[in-house]
Amino acid sequence: MAWLEGSALGHAMRHSGPWTYAIVNLAHILGVSSLFGAVVILDLRLLGVWKRIPLAPLTDAASAVAIIGFAVAATSGLGLIATKATEYIGNPFLYVKFPAIAAGVTNAVALRFTSAWRARAIRELSEDERRRLAWTGAASLVCWLTAVAAGRLIAYW
Amino acid sequence: MQQRITWPRRAFAAAGALVTAALLSSQPALAHHGWGGYLEKTTDISGTVESPVSLAGPHATMKIRAGDGQVWDVVLAPPARTERAGLKEGMIPLGAQVTVHGNRHRDPKRLEIKTSRLTWNGQTFNVYPDRS
């Protein structure tokens, strides 16, 4: 944390005008909201909601928005935390948020390697494959809800 | 087809009702977190500047050492607002005598004061002029 605060990024965040943090914070919110909104649609579809919308095009669009949202949130988030990194030591919400993000990313990467995901545009999925997708969607919802909630609560500790 | 459409509609209605109920039942808790975590009563602390004013992060901050040797975290307004009140980085030197007026953190073990006014060298910086 001390290293992050002392880094060039931390220095830039602290010494480039009074609006820097606010603007980077705005980028973080845009990133998080895009990520979370897309993930909710994706996960609900995996759980079997909106079955009349074909799986492949919906998941393509939602996962693209989620990935871009994640990239924006992660980049801006690094800047936010680097500003006064040492102040977050001991903040319990941080120790909930980052494991939840790690679990959410692992879950999303694992999803891409499943037979169901790879076959979703080519053929009808089996009952078993659909059930596996539903479990992945449920796990994803839990991970990202936890990450967003813990992330917001960092400011209130 | 026709039946599927009712699911999201019902979900939206339920979500809307929940949000409305939450808003109605928790009005005071929605106050800006800048004050929610602090005591109602105000406190004045005089001390010397231990760490100068920083206009970085969600709120401008500084540290002062009180007469009893304890170091306090002084939380000011958001950086742009603090600057508009006339308080700039590098203005108050290390070791200068200042007095801060504001609200202590609710946790008595935490030496943190959310500051609405800061006085230094005969000048008062009113970062939250609408607060007593």
Side-chain angles (χ1 to χ4, degrees):
Chain A
M1 284 297 199
W3 173 85
L4 186 59
E5 187 169 316
S7 68
L9 178 66
H11 193 267
M13 283 297 297
R14 285 189 301 277
H15 300 286
S16 43
W19 288 100
T20 309
Y21 188 90
I23 290 160
V24 177
N25 198 181
L26 168 65
H28 194 60
I29 290 171
L30 290 174
V32 171
S33 53
S34 305
L35 165 67
F36 190 69
V39 154
V40 167
I41 292 173
L42 177 65
D43 292 344
L44 287 178
R45 180 61 186 85
L46 295 181
L47 280 164
V49 183
W50 302 307
K51 282 205 184 80
R52 67 202 172 92
I53 307 175
L55 187 62
L58 185 83
T59 51
D60 284 352
S63 61
V65 174
I67 289 167
I68 293 166
F70 179 81
V72 172
T75 313
S76 55
L78 196 62
L80 294 179
I81 201 164
T83 309
K84 290 178 179 173
T86 53
E87 283 187 13
Y88 297 102
I89 295 170
N91 190 315
F93 296 114
L94 208 72
Y95 302 101
V96 176
K97 175 181 173 173
F98 287 108
I101 293 173
V105 170
T106 307
N107 188 253
V109 172
L111 170 67
R112 299 191 156 249
F113 288 103
T114 59
S115 65
W117 183 267
R118 279 184 291 189
R120 73 198 192 287
I122 311 161
R123 58 173 170 80
E124 272 293 299
L125 299 180
S126 70
E127 188 60 34
D128 202 46
E129 284 173 326
R130 273 203 290 266
R131 200 173 310 127
R132 197 169 300 167
L133 284 186
W135 277 110
T136 307
S140 169
L141 267 182
V142 170
C143 290
W144 295 112
L145 256 175
T146 307
V148 169
R152 179 68 287 224
L153 290 174
I154 285 171
Y156 297 83
W157 175 248
Chain B
M1 279 292 184
Q2 214 67 39
Q3 271 177 328
R4 284 258 161 67
I5 294 167
T6 60
W7 190 89
R9 271 206 198 141
R10 251 184 248 154
F12 285 134
L18 271 176
V19 169
T20 310
L23 284 173
L24 290 174
S25 64
S26 64
Q27 211 59 52
L30 282 175
H32 188 264
H33 69 90
W35 301 102
Y38 299 92
L39 295 175
E40 296 275 328
K41 76 173 182 87
T42 57
T43 309
D44 286 82
I45 300 166
S46 293
T48 54
V49 177
E50 182 82 5
S51 169
V53 173
S54 158
L55 294 182
H59 297 96
T61 53
M62 72 189 298
K63 285 186 201 298
I64 62 170
R65 186 179 289 276
D68 58 6
Q70 289 187 309
V71 176
W72 285 78
D73 278 317
V74 174
V75 179
L76 295 146
R81 185 181 181 121
T82 303
E83 199 177 55
R84 280 204 308 278
L87 194 51
K88 295 184 171 55
E89 278 184 358
M91 207 170 164
I92 308 178
L94 270 178
Q97 184 75 31
V98 299
T99 300
V100 295
H101 171 88
N103 306 63
R104 270 198 74 156
H105 198 278
R106 285 194 186 278
D107 180 355
K109 293 192 292 276
R110 229 159 116 170
L111 300 179
E112 181 179 317
I113 181 164
K114 174 74 180 172
T115 301
S116 40
R117 284 202 296 279
L118 182 150
T119 312
W120 163 67
N121 203 16
Q123 291 177 74
T124 297
F125 303 97
N126 225 344
V127 296
Y128 285 108
D130 53 335
R131 293 190 67 91
S132 60

